[in-house]
Amino acid sequence: MILRSAAPADLPDVQRLEAALFGELAWSEHALAAELDQTTGDRLFLLAVEDDSCIGYAIVVLLGAGADLLRIAVAAPAQRQRVATALLDAAISWSRERGACEVTLEVAETNRPAIGLYSGAGFAQIAVRDRYYASGDGALVMGLVLSGPAPDVPGREPRP
């Protein structure tokens, strides 16, 4: 497996993976293309590729002093093979290298495998957003402090 930046030619593969994994909650091809078009020094769209096939991706964006992990997705046959861990580690490293103090994310409160992944990487729950997803599921807001004071996150109690 290799990790590399996504390119416009990767969009159809990413969209197929997005649709297969998220169904009616999948981001549209337009939304994914917009993320790819915005890939600059403040945004990373990273692909995990094996045998010339996209098996996963991560999208992270810098927001002020923090970074927001927008998406990690891994094809079903590649799950539980440390692909998500590799993508998450790369997203954290990229954020740290750019001076982010914290990485935050939202995860469905019913998504136990993802919560386990994030908790295992040192993320802690910092808030709950009721009915956050179109499905009606709530989201856990999780954060990982990288360095310095953590930036404020809406809906979270300030850290001491």
Side-chain angles (χ1 to χ4, degrees), residues 3-143:
L3 299 180
R4 66 167 174 82
S5 293
D10 297 314
L11 196 55
D13 289 340
V14 170
Q15 180 59 45
R16 277 191 292 277
L17 182 54
E18 175 79 9
L21 292 171
F22 299 103
E24 67 183 31
L25 299 178
W27 290 2
S28 68
E29 185 171 352
H30 176 74
L32 288 166
E35 290 298 329
L36 185 58
D37 286 345
Q38 296 178 42
T39 303
T40 61
D42 66 348
R43 187 174 304 261
L44 175 68
F45 196 136
L46 187 65
L47 251 52
V49 179
E50 189 169 77
D51 298 327
D52 293 325
S53 294
C54 172
I55 60 169
Y57 58 93
I59 303 170
V60 62
V61 61
L62 293 176
L63 299 169
D68 192 18
L69 181 64
L70 302 178
R71 195 67 129 189
I72 285 188
V74 176
Q79 291 176 4
R80 302 210 179 274
Q81 296 180 21
R82 304 198 48 81
V83 176
T85 300
L87 288 164
L88 181 59
D89 289 349
I92 292 168
S93 293
W94 180 87
S95 300
R96 183 177 280 120
E97 289 167 4
R98 281 151 186 79
C101 296
E102 181 176 48
V103 178
T104 57
L105 59 89
E106 292 87 17
V107 59
E109 58 191 355
T110 56
N111 190 342
R112 296 293 165 212
I115 293 167
L117 169 71
Y118 301 133
S119 296
F123 283 78
Q125 180 181 327
I126 53 180
V128 176
R129 293 188 174 142
D130 293 328
R131 295 176 302 283
Y132 180 76
Y133 295 102
S135 65
D137 286 342
L140 302 181
V141 180
M142 300 182 79

